[in-house]
Amino acid sequence: MLNYIWAGLIICSLVFAMTGDINDLRHDTYRNDQSLPITLKYRAPYDPAAKEIPVDVVIAPDVYTNFYGVSARPALSYSGTLIQGGKSPQLRFAADVPLPEPLSTIREAAQSDSSEIGQLQGVVHNLSTNPSVTLDPVRFYKLGKITKAAISMAGKAVNLAIGLIGGLALWLGVLRIAEKSGLIDAFVRLVRPVLHPLFPEIPKDHPALGMIALNLSAGMLGLGNAATPMGLKAMEELQKLNPTSDTATNPMVMLLALNTTCVQLIPSATLVAIIGLQAGEVWLPTVLSTAGAMVVAIIATKLLGRLHRYRSTDPNRQPAI
């Protein structure tokens, strides 16, 4: 089902991108193949033989707003380089200057289509009299962005999956050793008084309780790489108690709710990587918010499990109390 959801999202994003691109072409948003009037101020005396000449590009605000039909106004000037020697002079804007829309989008489109990093460039006309510049055309920019993002994220997903193999193999091996040595059975007896009220359908000595406790403990301690294989193993044990193969039982739903909203006693590695040592400053809000989310998840799961609509589809159908 998740695959269908992702496929639907990708298709919808492509449709919206295509619609936006067609709308841009109909309204000529980027003024493709049209010349924008500019003024060039040379920083040194003009040398016709020079290949690269530093210049300041001045775009009149009224000319800019009328040309592109936008309310954004350009800066007083932009640094750039006039490149001579070809059939027509080329004007290249500096890579690090902030640009208003739609020049910013034109630069991004040129960056994605060339090896130049962040370069806005175009052909200069009437250099000696009334200079103007025809910038690189932009066509199907949004569609290209969506396509490249999808391909990029697919590659990242493969790298992520390969990176998880080591962690999954390690912790699944540790769980196997613990199961063979009897540590899981001992842990089940320890956590039974806490978890049995949440999972009354699970037999008291079933190893699924130990796997669930290990999964929740790893989540509380911010050990995401350890929580994942333990959660998978817990679901595998719960499936052994499930008389069907296509419908989740109440314990499965409760485990998913707790795994998603588990209280966070120690900041996760992701949070630390984002904000660094400042993660300790949000420890109390993190604990309170995750604890509240876990309580809400438990109550919602219990209440929904009692509704006739959901109770009638429960593989281990329980009568309402």
Side-chain angles (χ1 to χ4, degrees):
M1 177 59 70
L2 189 59
N3 292 334
Y4 293 111
I5 294 175
W6 281 114
L9 291 175
I10 293 175
I11 293 174
C12 289
S13 63
L14 291 175
V15 171
F16 282 119
M18 177 69 75
T19 302
D21 286 332
I22 293 176
N23 186 62
D24 288 338
L25 291 176
R26 287 179 58 248
H27 294 88
D28 198 12
T29 302
Y30 304 106
R31 301 298 186 264
N32 293 331
D33 303 322
Q34 298 185 37
S35 298
L36 171 65
I38 59 174
T39 300
L40 296 179
K41 294 184 176 180
Y42 300 97
R43 299 180 186 175
Y46 175 70
D47 183 4
K51 292 185 177 181
E52 295 187 1
I53 304 175
V55 296
D56 289 322
V57 184
V58 179
I59 306 175
D62 293 340
V63 172
Y64 184 84
T65 55
N66 292 331
F67 185 79
Y68 285 113
V70 297
S71 58
R73 300 174 70 85
L76 295 178
S77 65
Y78 297 100
S79 59
T81 303
L82 182 64
I83 303 174
Q84 303 184 117
K87 293 181 178 180
S88 300
Q90 299 281 329
L91 177 63
R92 180 174 297 170
F93 289 74
D96 55 348
V97 296
L99 296 172
E101 288 292 344
L103 292 183
S104 178
T105 299
I106 297 175
R107 177 170 62 182
E108 291 182 11
Q111 176 182 353
S112 62
D113 294 336
S114 67
S115 59
E116 300 291 345
I117 300 177
Q119 294 289 310
L120 174 65
Q121 56 189 4
V123 178
V124 179
H125 308 283
N126 302 322
L127 180 61
S128 59
T129 55
N130 297 314
S132 61
V133 59
T134 302
L135 300 174
D136 293 334
V138 178
R139 297 182 177 90
F140 297 102
Y141 166 73
K142 297 180 179 66
L143 184 62
K145 289 275 286 187
I146 293 294
T147 303
K148 291 181 180 180
I151 296 175
S152 175
M153 293 307 297
K156 291 181 180 179
V158 172
N159 294 333
L160 177 62
I162 294 176
L164 287 176
I165 291 177
L168 289 173
L170 171 63
W171 289 107
L172 287 175
V174 171
L175 289 176
R176 187 65 175 172
I177 294 173
E179 184 179 2
K180 290 293 185 180
S181 63
L183 291 177
I184 296 295
D185 295 333
F187 195 55
V188 167
R189 291 191 293 269
L190 179 64
V191 302
R192 182 193 306 159
V194 178
L195 293 182
H196 184 67
L198 297 177
F199 301 90
E201 298 88 350
I202 302 178
K204 293 184 178 180
D205 295 327
H206 199 277
L209 287 175
M211 298 298 177
I212 292 172
L214 290 173
N215 172 256
L216 297 179
S217 299
M220 291 179 182
L221 299 177
L223 303 175
N225 289 340
T228 300
M230 294 174 184
L232 295 175
K233 187 65 176 178
M235 279 294 184
E236 181 182 341
E237 294 294 335
L238 291 177
Q239 181 58 37
K240 295 179 181 178
L241 301 173
N242 189 354
T244 65
S245 60
D246 59 353
T247 305
T249 59
N250 286 341
M252 288 181 169
V253 176
M254 179 62 75
L255 173 59
L256 181 61
L258 291 178
N259 183 74
T260 306
T261 62
C262 182
V263 61
Q264 197 83 39
L265 298 179
I266 296 179
S268 64
T270 303
L271 182 62
V272 174
I274 294 175
I275 65 176
L277 297 179
Q278 294 180 349
E281 299 178 5
V282 297
W283 176 81
L284 183 58
T286 300
V287 173
L288 294 178
S289 60
T290 53
M294 184 176 67
V295 172
V296 172
I298 293 173
I299 295 175
T301 303
K302 287 292 186 181
L303 291 179
L304 289 174
R306 293 177 181 271
L307 295 179
H308 174 73
R309 176 182 177 185
Y310 296 100
R311 192 173 67 251
S312 61
T313 60
D314 182 11
N316 299 318
R317 184 173 180 178
Q318 298 292 327
I321 300 177

